[in-house]
Amino acid sequence: MPQAQNQIIRPAAPEPLLAGLLALTEARLLSLEGAYETDLPDGSRELIAGVRGAPVLRFSQAEAEIPAGGLALLSQPGSCRLTATGDCQCAILRLTGTLPEQLLSPEDACVIYPQGAAAVRETVTTLAVLNREGSGIDAPTASAHAYSLLMKLLRLRDAGAPSHYSALIDAAIGIINEDFAYLEGLDDLAERLEVSKPHLIRTFTREVGVSPGKYITRARIEYAKLLLSEPDMSIAFAAEATGFAGANYFAKVFRRETGLSPTEFQQSVPQARRRPAILRDEDRLYMP
């Protein structure tokens, strides 16, 4: 199998806390001619995307074809083998933590999705660029890209459901859900959508019932609640990971939105943590 076009990115090892929630431990862009074997450790999940061609995944005496443009979510530990009869390219991400299973809810050891390869490839390519331009990728940065990818896959999975929003607001919600930690205010959002800020605010508020600024804040707070549900999570890390300028401002907004300080929220989380509010149907924050 030729190796010239293969890329392997391994971010820095995460702290145990981050690894338990969501860590991206390895990314590969693989030109496949023949076979490729991998071994999935216990506690890991692997996303294998068919960027070009339709590779066949064989594992545990079973096999599944990954359609071109689609991907497989592999959840069963052990050896697996990718094969292709012709020119084929795959993008592969290995994740650890509870979040991939909670968000994607795989019912089988291997789940095939007809879409999603482009999103996985984009993530791998972005990580490769960051890796080349810097001195490696730290674990929090890799985790943030993994979370953004999971949000994109959620939207693709639910794309068949009819939307009651206009194309503009669907696009706005998509950008917020995937990039809320990196948005530089409503000016940035309006610029990405190529509309004026006043028009965005009027249309978004009319259709969604809250302003886009409020929606962004709620998205950040819901992710912060998920982070703070992890034992020993630092408030400073949660603030930075969710896009707040500092821990003090984060604490002020968190109390305003939840009625609790971040510390009080942490103390209120039971030992056996419940499924995060991010997944509740009535919230509709991440699955409009």
Side-chain angles (χ1 to χ4, degrees), residues 239-287:
E240 181 180 356
T242 50
F244 286 93
N248 290 337
Y249 179 61
F250 165 67
K252 179 180 178 180
V253 175
F254 193 94
R255 179 180 287 278
R256 186 187 70 208
E257 293 294 321
T258 67
L260 298 171
S261 71
T263 300
E264 289 168 342
F265 177 83
Q266 286 179 308
Q267 293 170 347
S268 74
V269 176
Q271 191 68 26
R273 293 186 301 278
R274 295 167 294 178
R275 196 171 185 175
I278 193 175
L279 298 179
R280 296 198 304 247
D281 288 340
E282 60 267 29
D283 285 338
R284 308 301 289 174
L285 275 175
Y286 293 101
M287 291 179 281

Side-chain angles (χ1 to χ4, degrees), residues 42-108:
D42 190 24
S44 295
R45 304 287 185 271
E46 201 155 73
L47 288 166
I48 305 174
V51 176
R52 186 174 65 245
V56 175
L57 176 64
R58 292 183 170 86
F59 63 100
S60 300
Q61 300 180 340
E63 70 175 47
E65 181 176 295
I66 304 173
L71 61 87
L73 171 60
L74 189 63
S75 303
Q76 179 175 296
S79 299
C80 66
R81 181 182 178 91
L82 274 174
T83 60
T85 56
D87 183 28
C88 184
Q89 188 177 64
C90 300
I92 304 173
L93 289 175
R94 182 169 292 181
L95 308 173
T96 66
T98 59
L99 198 54
E101 183 173 3
Q102 288 178 350
L103 292 179
L104 298 179
S105 304
E107 297 179 357
D108 301 309

